């Protein structure tokens, strides 16, 4: 360290003396990226308006000193690219600094500090903002800012000529909130099919064209202004999708940054690089936790199943009151996750007759899912799963459904299910899932319990063709009379269903906005397949197959539905048998809050006791269905002491 840097560090107020320097929980080939925005020098411009994510020059110097004194090594994007390609390895505790929005303060305040500390950084500029002429106003959310608050192209060119600075695109004109539904919720323009009261939703083709035009304009502008195309896209609000990643890559921007707060591994794809968002209120302790990968997070999952049929009301005023009541309840509960029903099932038969989002194939009962999911995410701060059928969509009599070999017809004892062996059915369901991902905002998928075949299904002609291609007899009765063939048949059907759900996951995720949360999946599993091994062939479900395919195996731990004589003992046995096959981290136990045999609510105290039992047995992730927020059932005051995780945390290792 040079003398001038020692002098500089000693001259500033260091509050890091109280930070305990623990051994960093970092791996050899990882790097942490942190995201800054505007920087102000309050001693020079004390009256300057300060906006979200703005920090002071003094605070930035404290951060830089923490980085230097803590042994963290700022690196350039090029160093990461070279190390990934097998060149010079990254230094230990590598850090990449990024600055968004193209503020003038980067040139006036940050750039001199970068040179002083010899720290590389990435600066992302919004093209349309820089195109505003001198003396004009830049659109900034619901207000405008003077053009002089932002870099000039001359300054950008100077920065680009420095080996310390990488100039990135922050899009040409996608840094704004677009109206994303009829209720007026504003959502990130890059990942939102815009709603217009006169025309409805922007079509898929128009949306793609808008994103392509923006990427092309960005590329052209960079070529004109600084003589080269950008190779980096920094997504506004961290909002991107698989579709936008593909389009950006087509225009040369194959490295992009999100705002998913996690370290990056060198062997990770650089299509979407994780970053931590920093602001003035981010303490030095938090900065050190981020840099050392000792960020605190919730321990276990607590999940509430919310049925949108409880929220829906033909009276829009009453419906909004229902939504407010739900949000307030979930906010108070201290839960982590909501499984939110995306389909309408007012008759309770488990089959989707209508959907709660716009789509190409089924009627829309109300365009409600996006509104409720967005409010739950932003106001209640929970992760929202779209709870969707896999096969049980009632599309009328023009489609082929799962049939029973005994009758040649659909079974009246089970859900009506589209046969997944029919290519037209598969395409239709994929399109429904793709529409879900394009027109709503959510964080994960819960696959409904309709993805099963009994040991008499599927007997449709397309299914028989599939069995024959898999070297199985077309005669189901012949299969049933041979134990080995039965085992092969059950395994084939189970894997076929799982493979199809993975196709649906991909379809739903193509346009979906990650929104700073990792996309995760769960699938409902019948408890009997755990308790009675032979039952795997009765439903074509296998717990270990589920564990290999999904992030979570959602066991339907519903003792009254299963006719358990001793519900408490039954739950203990189910927990123990489940943990013998799947780790606690991957298991979700879904309790019942309603006794459907008697059509009566289960007492809140009994549900709370079940939660205690499951926790005693080592089950970490627990949910229940349904939540009746109208009647406060289960009673939040009874449940919260055992169910809430609001005050229970762990350190990520």
């Amino acid at each position: 360290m040079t003398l001038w840097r020692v002098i500089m560090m000693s001259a500033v107020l260091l509050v890091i003396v109280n930070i305990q320097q623990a051994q960093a929980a970092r791996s050899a080939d990882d790097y942490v990226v942190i995201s800054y925005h505007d920087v102000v020098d309050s001693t020079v411009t004390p009256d300057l308006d300060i906006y979200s994510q703005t920090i002071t020059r003094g605070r930035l110097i404290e951060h830089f000193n923490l980085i230097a004194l803590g042994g963290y090594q700022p690196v350039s994007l090029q160093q990461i690219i070279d190390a990934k390609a097998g060149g010079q390895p990254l230094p230990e505790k590598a850090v990449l600094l990024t600055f968004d929005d193209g503020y003038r303060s980067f040139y006036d305040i940050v750039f001199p500090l970068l040179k002083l500390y010899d720290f590389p950084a990435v600066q992302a500029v919004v093209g349309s903002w820089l195109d505003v002429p001198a003396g004009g106003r830049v659109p900034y959310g619901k207000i405008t800012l003077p053009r002089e608050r932002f870099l000039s192209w001359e300054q950008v060119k100077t920065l680009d000529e420095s080996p310390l600075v990488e100039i990135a695109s922050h899009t040409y004109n996608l840094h704004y909130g677009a109206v994303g539904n009829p209720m007026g919720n504003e959502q990130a323009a890059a990942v939102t099919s815009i709603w217009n009261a006169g025309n409805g939703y922007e079509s898929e083709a128009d949306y793609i064209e808008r994103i392509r035009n923006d990427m092309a304009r960005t590329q052209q502008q960079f070529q004109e202004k600084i003589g080269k195309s950008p190779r980096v896209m920094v997504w506004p609000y961290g909002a991107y999708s698989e579709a936008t990643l593909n389009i950006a890559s087509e225009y040369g921007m194959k490295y992009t940054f999100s705002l998913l707060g996690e370290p990056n591994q060198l062997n990770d794809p650089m299509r979407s690089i994780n970053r931590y968002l920093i602001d003035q209120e981010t303490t030095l302790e938090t900065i050190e936790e981020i840099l050392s990968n000792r960020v605190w997070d919730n321990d276990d999952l607590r999940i509430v199943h919310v049925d949108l049929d409880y929220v829906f009301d033909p009276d829009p005023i009453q419906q909004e009151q229902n939504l407010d009541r739900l949000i307030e309840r979930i906010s108070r509960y201290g839960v982590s996750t909501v499984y939110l029903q995306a389909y309408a099932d007012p008759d309770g038969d488990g089959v989707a007759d209508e959907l709660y989002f716009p789509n190409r194939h089924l009627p829309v009962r109300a365009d409600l899912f996006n509104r409720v999911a967005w409010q739950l995410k932003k106001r209640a701060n929970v992760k929202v799963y779209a709870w969707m059928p896999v096969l049980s969509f009632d599309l009328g009599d023009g489609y082929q459904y799962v049939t029973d070999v005994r009758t040649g017809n659909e079974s009246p004892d089970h859900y009506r299910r589209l046969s997944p062996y029919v290519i037209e059915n598969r395409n239709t369901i994929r399109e429904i899932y793709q529409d879900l991902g394009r027109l709503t905002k959510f964080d994960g998928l819960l696959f409904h319990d309709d993805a099963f075949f009994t040991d008499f299904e599927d007997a449709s002609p397309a299914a028989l063709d599939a069995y024959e291609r898999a070297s199985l007899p077309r005669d189901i009765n012949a299969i049933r009379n041979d134990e080995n063939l039965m085992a092969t048949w059950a395994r084939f059907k189970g894997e076929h269903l799982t493979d199809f759900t993975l196709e649906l996951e991909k379809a739903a995720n193509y346009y979906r906005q990650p929104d700073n949360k990792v996309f995760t999946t769960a699938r409902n599993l019948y408890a009997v397949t755990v308790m009675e091994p032979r039952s795997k062939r009765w439903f074509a479900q296998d717990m270990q197959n589920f564990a290999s395919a999904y992030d979570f195996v959602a066991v339907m731990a519903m003792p009254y539905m299963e006719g358990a004589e001793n519900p408490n003992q039954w739950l203990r046995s189910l927990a123990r048998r489940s943990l013998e096959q799947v780790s606690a981290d991957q298991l979700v136990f879904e309790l019942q809050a309603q006794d459907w045999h008697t059509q009566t609510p289960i007492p809140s105290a009994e549900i709370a006791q079940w939660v205690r039992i499951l926790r005693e047995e080592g089950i970490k992730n627990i949910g229940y269905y349904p939540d009746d927020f109208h009647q406060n059932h289960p009673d939040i005051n009874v449940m919260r002491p055992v169910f809430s995780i609001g005050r229970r945390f762990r350190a990520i290792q």
Side-chain angles (χ1 to χ4, degrees):
M1 183 182 297
T2 60
L3 178 60
W4 55 262
R5 190 183 296 177
V6 174
I7 295 172
M8 178 65 188
M9 290 183 181
S10 64
V12 298
L13 175 62
L14 297 178
V15 298
I16 62 173
V17 292
N18 292 323
I19 296 178
Q20 183 177 3
Q21 296 290 335
Q23 178 65 35
R26 296 275 299 271
S27 61
D29 288 326
D30 69 357
Y31 59 98
V32 169
V33 185
I34 53 180
S35 168
Y36 294 100
H37 286 74
D38 197 10
V39 181
V40 299
D41 189 337
S42 55
T43 65
V44 176
T45 55
D47 298 325
L48 190 67
D49 289 335
I50 296 178
Y51 300 100
S52 179
Q53 281 88 51
T54 300
I55 70 168
T56 63
R57 179 179 181 273
R59 182 57 55 86
L60 182 64
I61 289 173
E62 291 174 359
H63 293 180
F64 280 13
N65 285 336
L66 173 60
I67 289 169
L69 293 176
Y72 300 102
Q73 302 291 320
V75 296
S76 67
L77 180 67
Q78 188 61 50
Q79 285 178 266
I80 297 170
I81 295 170
D82 292 344
K84 186 175 179 65
Q88 181 72 27
L90 287 179
E92 290 187 3
K93 298 160 68 171
V95 180
L96 177 61
L97 306 176
T98 67
F99 293 79
D100 293 0
D101 293 355
Y103 291 102
R104 168 72 179 259
S105 63
F106 185 83
Y107 188 85
D108 293 340
I109 298 174
V110 179
F111 190 38
L113 291 173
L114 296 178
K115 290 187 285 187
L116 189 63
Y117 285 79
D118 196 28
F119 285 179
V122 174
Q123 168 58 241
V125 298
V126 182
S128 62
W129 293 1
L130 270 62
D131 273 355
V132 173
R137 306 286 297 185
V138 171
Y140 188 83
K142 297 185 182 301
I143 63 171
T144 62
L145 294 178
R147 173 63 182 83
E148 289 68 32
R149 288 286 295 269
F150 298 89
L151 294 166
S152 68
W153 276 112
E154 289 183 4
Q155 291 167 337
V156 171
K157 187 171 179 59
T158 298
L159 293 168
D160 181 64
E161 292 169 351
S162 169
L164 292 176
V165 179
E166 171 102 23
I167 300 297
S169 172
H170 208 24
T171 73
Y172 180 76
N173 188 30
L174 294 175
H175 198 298
Y176 66 95
V179 176
N181 55 45
M183 284 67 71
N185 290 125
E186 291 191 353
Q187 298 166 340
V191 291
T192 298
S193 293
I194 299 173
W195 163 265
N196 180 285
N199 302 316
Y201 285 97
E202 183 178 32
S203 71
E204 181 180 3
D206 288 346
Y207 166 74
I208 290 293
E209 182 180 11
R210 175 165 60 86
I211 303 303
R212 286 189 182 280
N213 288 342
D214 192 275
M215 299 296 113
R217 184 69 181 272
T218 290
Q219 187 182 63
Q220 177 186 9
Q221 183 189 50
F222 269 62
Q223 286 282 5
E224 292 174 352
K225 298 297 186 181
I226 60 176
K228 63 182 181 182
S229 298
R231 62 176 179 173
V232 180
M233 171 59 67
V234 178
W235 300 110
Y237 318 109
Y240 68 96
S241 67
E242 287 297 312
T244 62
L245 293 179
N246 291 340
I247 296 171
S249 181
E250 290 174 15
Y251 288 89
M253 291 167 280
K254 61 180 181 178
Y255 308 112
T256 84
F257 288 89
S258 71
L259 284 174
L260 180 62
E262 291 185 355
N264 300 275
Q265 301 297 320
L266 195 59
N267 60 1
D268 290 342
M270 296 178 69
R271 277 166 56 88
S272 176
I273 301 169
N274 305 326
R275 296 190 300 166
Y276 291 92
L277 182 60
I278 306 299
D279 60 25
Q280 182 71 7
E281 303 306 314
T282 306
T283 66
L284 289 173
E285 289 85 355
T286 299
I287 291 284
E288 201 277 335
E289 288 169 354
I290 289 171
L291 294 173
S292 64
N293 191 25
R294 293 186 180 277
V295 179
W296 292 81
D297 199 2
N298 286 333
D299 189 5
D300 307 330
L301 299 184
R302 291 294 178 267
I303 304 159
V304 172
H305 285 247
V306 173
D307 189 332
L308 271 182
D309 294 331
Y310 284 65
V311 179
F312 171 77
D313 195 284
D315 179 354
I317 296 176
Q318 182 60 55
Q319 182 171 278
E320 197 66 15
Q321 291 174 351
N322 294 344
L323 174 57
D324 286 341
R325 184 177 298 155
L326 170 65
I327 299 298
E328 180 182 2
R329 176 177 173 85
I330 297 299
S331 297
R332 292 178 54 215
Y333 221 148
V335 299
S336 64
T337 308
V338 168
Y339 288 166
L340 183 64
Q341 180 182 315
Y343 61 98
D345 183 25
D347 59 5
D349 66 355
V351 178
D353 306 299
E354 301 172 312
L355 298 173
Y356 280 116
F357 58 91
N359 70 97
R360 285 168 268 187
H361 297 289
L362 276 172
V364 179
R365 190 182 195 198
D367 187 358
L368 188 59
F369 179 84
N370 188 38
R371 164 75 167 167
V372 177
W374 188 253
Q375 293 292 304
L376 284 166
K377 284 158 57 66
K378 299 307 176 184
R379 291 171 55 190
N381 195 32
V382 293
K383 187 169 184 175
V384 176
Y385 281 62
W387 172 16
M388 283 284 289
V390 177
L391 305 175
S392 57
F393 298 93
D394 191 344
L395 296 172
D397 295 334
Y399 287 78
Q400 294 185 49
Y401 296 87
V402 172
T403 59
D404 189 305
V405 69
R406 293 168 294 186
T407 64
N409 299 314
E410 299 172 53
S411 171
D413 299 324
H414 300 294
Y415 299 129
R416 181 175 223 197
R417 286 154 289 146
L418 292 165
S419 173
Y421 298 106
V422 179
I423 189 63
E424 292 83 359
N425 289 350
R426 295 169 72 93
N427 289 339
T428 295
I429 299 170
R430 271 196 297 265
E431 288 176 351
I432 289 173
Y433 272 75
Q434 189 178 81
D435 292 340
L436 171 74
R438 184 170 69 88
L439 295 168
T440 73
K441 301 291 187 281
F442 57 97
D443 306 304
L445 281 173
L446 170 67
F447 292 113
H448 190 37
D449 65 348
D450 64 318
F452 69 89
F453 291 122
T454 72
D455 50 341
F456 294 96
E457 297 172 334
D458 180 7
S460 66
L464 299 180
D465 291 342
Y467 306 153
E468 187 173 46
R469 289 193 297 270
S471 300
L472 286 162
R474 291 182 64 90
D475 185 343
I476 291 179
N477 287 320
I479 295 175
R480 288 180 51 79
N481 290 328
D482 186 305
E483 281 295 313
N484 291 330
L485 288 178
M486 272 294 288
T488 301
W489 186 45
R491 183 169 58 253
F492 171 80
K493 292 190 294 180
E495 291 174 354
H496 188 83
L497 287 171
T498 296
D499 289 344
F500 183 45
T501 62
L502 297 181
E503 291 179 25
L504 298 181
E505 174 189 347
K506 186 176 181 180
N509 196 39
Y510 186 65
Y511 290 112
R512 187 196 67 90
Q513 175 188 345
D515 195 33
N516 310 331
K517 292 180 172 63
V518 175
F519 188 45
T520 47
T521 56
R523 181 172 161 193
N524 281 335
L525 178 78
Y526 289 115
V528 66
T529 63
V530 181
M531 302 294 276
E532 172 52 67
R534 284 181 57 84
S535 68
K536 294 176 183 178
R537 65 182 59 183
W538 305 340
F539 295 97
Q541 292 186 349
D542 181 87
M543 189 177 218
Q544 291 176 326
N545 172 266
F546 280 29
S548 67
Y550 313 108
D551 297 284
F552 298 102
V553 180
V555 180
M556 299 170 66
M558 302 180 178
Y560 289 116
M561 188 173 75
E562 299 293 339
E565 293 183 4
N566 185 327
N568 292 357
Q569 188 56 46
W570 182 86
L571 283 171
R572 289 190 186 277
S573 179
L574 180 64
R576 292 168 186 171
R577 296 188 187 189
S578 297
L579 288 167
E580 290 173 356
Q581 301 184 58
V582 177
S583 74
D585 289 335
Q586 208 174 354
L587 279 174
V588 169
F589 264 48
E590 301 178 288
L591 299 168
Q592 62 183 118
Q594 178 86 2
D595 185 341
W596 292 287
H597 294 302
T598 62
Q599 294 299 312
T600 57
I602 294 171
S604 300
E606 185 172 9
I607 303 171
Q609 177 62 18
W610 290 347
V611 173
R612 293 187 188 95
I613 288 170
L614 294 180
R615 288 172 55 183
E616 289 171 4
E617 295 296 333
I619 300 298
K620 298 173 60 176
N621 308 313
I622 305 171
Y624 68 81
Y625 169 80
D627 184 72
D628 187 346
F629 55 89
H630 294 290
Q631 303 299 325
N632 184 31
H633 184 75
D635 188 325
I636 190 172
N637 294 317
V638 174
M639 290 290 294
R640 190 162 49 186
V642 298
F643 196 65
S644 171
I645 56 169
R647 297 183 181 278
R648 299 174 61 238
F649 301 96
R650 66 176 174 85
I652 296 178
Q653 299 300 320

